[in-house]
Every structure is written in structure tokens, then in C-alpha cells.
Amino acid sequence: MLPRSMSSTNQPNSEQQSQPIGESRLGEVARDQLAQLQLGIDVANVGLGKVDYSSGIFELTEQAAQIYGLGDQPVTCTRDELHATFHPEDRVWLMRDISAFLSPEGTGRMSCQHQIVHEGGEVRWVEVRKQVFFVRTGDQIRPTHGILAARDITDQKDIESRLVQAKKQAEAASQSKSAFLANMSHEIRTPMTAILGYTDLALEQVSEPDTVSNLKTIKRNGIFLLDIINDILDLSKIEAGKLEVQREPFEPVRLIHDVVSIMNVRAIEKGLQLSFDIDSRIPRTIQSDPKRLKQILVNLVGNAIKFTELGCVRIQAQCDLSDQPRQRKLLAVSVSDTGLGLATDEIERLFEPFVQGDSGITRDFGGTGLGLAISQRLASMLGGRVECESEKGVGSTFTCFVDIGQANHTPIPPTPHSEDAQIGADERAIQLDATVLIVDDRRDIRFLTSRLLTRVGAAVEEASDGIEAMEKVQSSASRGGSFELIVLDMQMPRLDGYQVARRLRQSGFDKPIIALTAEAMDGDAQRCLDCGCDAYASKPIDARQFVSLVHKHLRRIR
């Protein structure tokens, strides 16, 4: 029993007093939570709605009504009125999806993005999420009501559209760049074929020292120009991610000897000594890309010779063969010189495209500044890197590291042979007793390739374009004869080489076709093979490799 004073009519009962105070506080908390929830909805710009499927009536909040273009206040509308806002392009699939998610077999949930049309014709994008609730009556399940949340995503779609358009423009620009580079390559390589080829022919016919010296100067600068275009193409392919490395087993010592053999001519011209020292622990074979490794080393040795006026250039090769299984084993080839040397700040910029040590280098020595940038990226693709140590006025050491992959550690032969010397011996032994058709729209290229083949015994006929080539092949076949091999330029007017090769194969011509092209982008070789050619030779023509290639394919059919 409560004390009398607490139950007196003059004083309120404590329970009676606390009840309305508690309800008031709960009401305030609820109102605060609702206010916060409404603020979150406003910030998110989400419109809410509910639908009664028995009556087909939607009740939309103010935000939802604004999103659907049905006013600025909460609104009640029919399903048909809401569906009438659907954009004609989206209406068919939307109605199909709505029917599916309302069926008893559906999940009861729907999420989609679609377009709507406001009363004034403005098109907007909305993202809608719906949840439907079902009731079972006997064996039947039917929807009773549902809720939806809608959000205007027009600005987001505009950004996405701009990004897609920007991507398309970037891809188009990349394709234009590739097309430009391919065309530039063709336009430079084709005349370079004539310049270098005719220079070689002239060198065979003259003996007067000054004339020979002048012709060698022409050839040397022609090769330099070709190196520039190759650098530009390589960098473009690397940046586009289209340059691939081909890993295969090869002998690193033999490759280094080949580099020394190639570059020693340049060293002798400058009065420099080019020496090398190869560690005996280097494996007999390693697994990497010999073409790209040789490209890196030729560049490093070429730079050393270019920037050294007095002294020597030295190549040192060694290999880390530690027994730690988790460590990658690297081949390290260092190229040291006694040349200009570099300051620290110059080294930091050295591997950036189009950058050389200082502005005076380009003026005094020439070059594009691409060689080291390409070498660094190629080394990275081979699992390594290129490092530089240098002192101004003393000299530099560039070291190329590459992953050796699977290595063979059997003893190395004491006297590796130069690959170039072997090719030369093979060419001197080649004699071609065959009839060859040369197809090219440039007379000087036809003359050059004819000369290369006739001087080793081949009988040659010429065609100036694809149509004439088809006529000559058909004429020869009608007389009971046939060309044993066709050298086919791929870029010609009227009927290009790709079309000629396809038509020849379709007509039953089964003899070798060697594609001859000045294009040098990735995919060109495969395109030639896909249209029916057996092999691919690029311009400018390397006389020894070209004759060897023709000989190889003639032997195949005999």
C-alpha cells in the first residue's frame, strides 16, 4: 500500500505522471528518426511508392511524383497512368519483365534501369527497385501489394554516355594512329628498298675508292633512317600493348657473339676497341626472346660506340645461378664505355621516350631518343630491366637483366659460330633452277628482286599489278607450264596482293607464294598467311635472307 501522502488527491500519482511523459519522449524519438529517414531519402533523391494490386492504385511520394513527371506533390495514380510514362523503346521489355516478376514463379523482386518520358517530352533515366508481396488462397498465389524505390540517374547516364563516346573516340584515334604509322612505314620502307638495294648493286660494280666510300655513306645513312622508323613503330606497338615476346630456347653466348660481330664494324670505323668477356657459368641455352634481347644489346652497344670518341667499349655477361628456388635467375649483360658519361639528373630522364642526356646530344650525335625507352620496356617484358651507372666525363655502364627461364647447363662449345657467317655461307651455295613470277607495281623493286634471283640461277617473269599477275599465271597454265614460286607485293592498285593470293588459291594454284610488303605493324604477317601466302618478307629487302627464303620454299615442293 502506498503512503497516504502519495495517494492524496492534492498530489498526483507517480504512475499517472510518468506515463504521459514516457509517451511524449517516445513520440519525439520516433519523429526524430522519421525526420532523419526523410532527410536521408531527400539527400539520396529517392522516390518511394506503394501499389495495391487488387485496385491497381499507386501512391507516390513527392520525390517519386517528381521523378516520374507527375507533379510536385504526393500523388495517387493508376498502374496504367504510371506505365504510360515508360519510353516507347523500353515499354515492351519492361512490361514483359513486370509480368514475370508478378508471377508466382518469380522472385518477387525487380531491379532495372529504363527511360521515361515527362509530359513535356523530356526523356529521363530512372533506376527502379521493386518488391511484391504475395498471399496464398487455397492453391492459388496472388500478389497483394508492393513497394518501389525510384531514383533519377539521368546525370549518371549522361556521364556514362560521354565516357563511352570518349572511349570510342580514343579507339578511333588509336586506329587512325596505327593506320598512319602503317602507311608511313609503307611509304618510307618502299623507297628505302630501292635505295639500299641499288646501293648494294652499285657496290658490286664499282671499285674506285671514292665512289665506294660515297656509296657506303648512302647505305649507312639509309640504314640509320630505317632504324628510326623501326624505333617509332616499336614504341607505338609497345604503348598499344600489341608487341608480344616469343619465348624459345636459344644460346645466349652465340647471340652475344653475333652482336659483337655486327657492331664491330661500327667500332672499327671510329677507331674503338670492342671486346667482350663471358662468364663460363652462363647456361648453354636459356628461355627468352632472342630477337628482342638482340635488339636491346645492339641498341646498348650502338649507343656506347656513338657516344665514345676515344678508348673502348666492353661487353660483360654473367648469370646469377643461386640455388634459391624462389629467386628468378637473371642473365646480366653489361655494356661499358669510356665516353661522355652522364650526370645524375640526366640518368633519371634517360629512359623516357624522346629524351636524351641533354639537348646538345641530339644536335651533335642525332637520334630520336627512343632506343633506351624501347630497351627498358622490352627488358621489362622479358622479366628484367635496364640499369645505368655513369660518371660525367668518365664513361657509362648500361646493364640489361632478363629472366633466363628454363636453362640448359651443359658445357658451352669453345668457339661459337656467328649466325651471320653461317647465313653468308648458305647463300653462296644457293642455286635456283626455277621459274619465278615477281609481282610489284614499282619497276625499281621488280628490277631489284629480279636481279637478286637471276644472279643465283632463277628464271624470272614480272607483272606490274595483280590483274596482270592473274593473266600471266593463267596464260602459263594454259601452255602446260606453271610458275614454281610467286613473289607478291601486297600493296598494289587495281587488285592488291591479298586478293591475288586468295584468287590464286581458289583457282587451284598450289605452289609457294611469298608476300612482300612494306607494312610492319602487328598482324600484318598473319594477314598474309591467312589469305594464302606461305611466307612473309618485309621491305627493305635483306638480300641474303630473301634468297634463302625463296630457296627454302622451292626445296619444299621438290
Side-chain angles (χ1 to χ4, degrees):
M1 178 180 294
L2 294 173
R4 290 178 58 89
S5 60
M6 295 293 293
S7 59
S8 168
T9 56
N10 294 328
Q11 297 199 16
N13 183 283
S14 61
E15 292 184 2
Q16 293 175 344
Q17 185 179 23
S18 63
Q19 185 66 25
I21 293 175
E23 290 178 353
S24 175
R25 288 177 179 172
L26 287 174
E28 290 177 3
V29 170
R31 284 192 297 272
D32 288 344
Q33 291 177 340
L34 287 173
Q36 292 174 6
L37 178 61
Q38 183 62 50
L39 179 61
I41 292 172
D42 293 341
V43 171
N45 195 25
V46 176
L48 304 178
K50 64 179 180 177
V51 56
D52 183 340
Y53 286 109
S54 61
S55 64
I57 298 298
F58 269 93
E59 295 182 22
L60 304 179
T61 63
E62 176 184 337
Q63 291 93 338
Q66 292 173 349
I67 288 171
Y68 282 99
L70 298 176
D72 295 327
Q73 299 295 326
V75 67
T76 298
C77 65
T78 66
R79 290 180 66 197
D80 289 342
E81 289 174 331
L82 187 68
H83 292 170
T85 65
F86 295 168
H87 195 286
E89 292 179 1
D90 297 341
R91 184 170 292 132
V92 173
W93 69 263
L94 267 172
M95 298 306 295
R96 181 186 65 241
D97 286 5
I98 289 173
S99 297
F101 107 97
L102 286 176
S103 68
E105 295 79 14
T107 63
R109 291 185 178 183
M110 181 178 178
S111 177
C112 64
Q113 297 178 355
H114 64 88
Q115 300 171 92
I116 59 173
V117 182
H118 284 194
E119 185 175 349
E122 181 185 10
V123 177
R124 308 289 294 180
W125 276 92
V126 295
E127 180 180 55
V128 182
R129 298 178 184 271
K130 298 180 182 178
Q131 173 70 62
V132 63
F133 300 92
F134 297 89
V135 66
R136 180 185 293 274
T137 305
D139 295 335
Q140 293 185 341
I141 299 177
R142 61 182 179 83
T144 57
H145 64 285
I147 58 175
L148 70 83
R151 186 166 62 94
D152 190 312
I153 58 170
T154 305
D155 292 343
Q156 174 185 327
K157 283 293 184 179
D158 286 344
I159 293 173
E160 291 175 0
S161 177
R162 292 194 199 101
L163 289 174
V164 170
Q165 186 63 29
K167 181 181 179 182
K168 289 181 178 178
Q169 291 175 349
E171 290 173 349
S174 178
Q175 291 174 354
S176 297
K177 174 184 175 183
S178 296
F180 167 75
L181 289 171
N183 184 62
M184 181 180 68
S185 168
H186 181 270
E187 293 302 318
I188 294 178
R189 285 172 177 270
T190 298
M192 286 306 302
T193 300
I195 292 170
L196 296 177
Y198 277 78
T199 301
D200 283 336
L201 293 180
L203 282 168
E204 294 176 359
Q205 298 169 357
V206 300
S207 58
E208 199 274 322
D210 287 343
T211 304
V212 170
S213 176
N214 292 340
L215 289 172
K216 286 184 177 179
T217 299
I218 293 173
K219 183 173 182 179
R220 183 169 59 252
N221 283 275
I223 293 173
F224 176 70
L225 179 59
L226 189 61
D227 288 342
I228 292 175
I229 184 63
N230 287 338
D231 281 349
I232 294 172
L233 288 168
D234 276 349
L235 183 65
S236 174
K237 287 186 281 187
I238 291 172
E239 289 180 342
K242 294 182 178 180
L243 191 146
E244 298 180 354
V245 296
Q246 304 294 331
R247 297 186 180 276
E248 60 185 76
F250 67 94
E251 299 178 10
V253 173
R254 179 173 176 174
L255 184 144
I256 294 169
H257 276 262
D258 288 342
V259 171
V260 172
S261 177
I262 293 169
M263 303 307 295
N264 196 44
V265 176
R266 297 192 194 178
I268 292 173
E269 288 178 349
K270 291 194 68 174
L272 301 174
Q273 179 185 3
L274 177 60
S275 61
F276 63 93
D277 179 19
I278 299 177
D279 192 324
S280 61
R281 295 178 301 167
I282 290 180
R284 179 187 179 97
T285 64
I286 65 173
Q287 193 89 16
S288 188
D289 189 323
K291 177 182 177 183
R292 297 305 177 186
L293 178 56
K294 180 182 283 189
Q295 183 178 351
I296 295 170
L297 297 183
V298 166
N299 179 267
L300 296 182
V301 177
N303 278 351
I305 294 172
K306 182 197 301 187
F307 299 122
T308 302
E309 295 300 323
L310 296 172
C312 64
V313 174
R314 184 170 182 79
I315 302 172
Q316 292 179 292
Q318 56 187 351
C319 193
D320 171 21
L321 297 177
S322 63
D323 294 328
Q324 299 180 24
R326 294 188 178 181
Q327 275 193 335
R328 290 188 302 123
K329 295 177 173 57
L330 301 177
L331 172 69
V333 183
S334 299
V335 180
S336 303
D337 63 62
T338 55
L340 298 176
L342 297 160
T344 302
D345 60 330
E346 294 171 344
I347 295 175
E348 293 173 354
R349 305 192 309 269
L350 207 53
F351 297 102
E352 298 175 13
F354 305 103
V355 172
Q356 293 183 325
D358 60 58
S359 59
I361 288 178
T362 302
R363 181 181 63 251
D364 297 336
F365 295 94
T368 60
L370 290 175
L372 288 174
I374 293 171
S375 296
Q376 183 68 279
R377 299 188 192 193
L378 289 176
S380 177
M381 295 172 72
L382 297 178
R385 62 197 182 278
V386 177
E387 295 181 352
C388 174
E389 295 181 1
S390 186
E391 184 177 347
K392 196 76 170 178
V394 175
S396 305
T397 296
F398 285 83
T399 303
C400 170
F401 298 90
V402 296
D403 189 343
I404 67 172
Q406 296 296 322
N408 179 351
H409 301 288
T410 57
I412 300 172
T415 55
H417 297 289
S418 167
E419 183 181 355
D420 290 337
Q422 187 63 41
I423 292 174
D426 290 344
E427 188 211 357
R428 288 191 293 272
I430 288 175
Q431 283 297 310
L432 303 179
D433 181 16
T435 302
V436 178
L437 176 64
I438 294 176
V439 188
D440 200 298
D441 59 313
R442 292 177 179 263
R443 185 190 64 82
D444 48 4
I445 304 300
R446 295 198 305 273
F447 177 84
L448 176 62
T449 50
S450 296
R451 181 66 180 272
L452 293 176
L453 297 181
T454 55
R455 70 183 185 180
V456 291
V460 173
E461 290 192 32
E462 300 178 9
S464 60
D465 60 35
I467 293 177
E468 185 181 355
M470 294 296 300
E471 293 172 349
K472 290 210 169 193
V473 171
Q474 293 167 1
S475 175
S476 176
S478 67
R479 298 194 304 268
S482 177
F483 295 106
E484 294 176 73
L485 183 140
I486 295 176
V487 177
L488 182 62
D489 181 36
M490 306 311 284
Q491 299 294 329
M492 296 183 293
R494 297 210 295 172
L495 192 67
D496 65 29
Y498 302 101
Q499 295 171 297
V500 173
R502 290 191 187 95
R503 293 188 186 186
L504 286 172
R505 294 311 187 197
Q506 291 168 0
S507 69
F509 184 83
D510 60 355
K511 300 298 173 57
I513 301 175
I514 295 179
L516 188 63
T517 177
E519 294 184 353
M521 299 302 285
D522 272 8
D524 293 333
Q526 190 59 48
R527 186 183 175 197
C528 293
L529 298 177
D530 290 344
C531 72
C533 296
D534 295 275
Y536 173 96
S538 61
K539 299 177 183 177
I541 300 168
D542 182 295
R544 289 179 296 180
Q545 291 181 2
F546 176 67
V547 172
S548 296
L549 185 63
V550 171
H551 182 239
K552 170 186 172 183
H553 285 276
L554 285 173
R555 281 192 307 178
R556 182 173 59 83
I557 64 173
R558 293 178 176 174

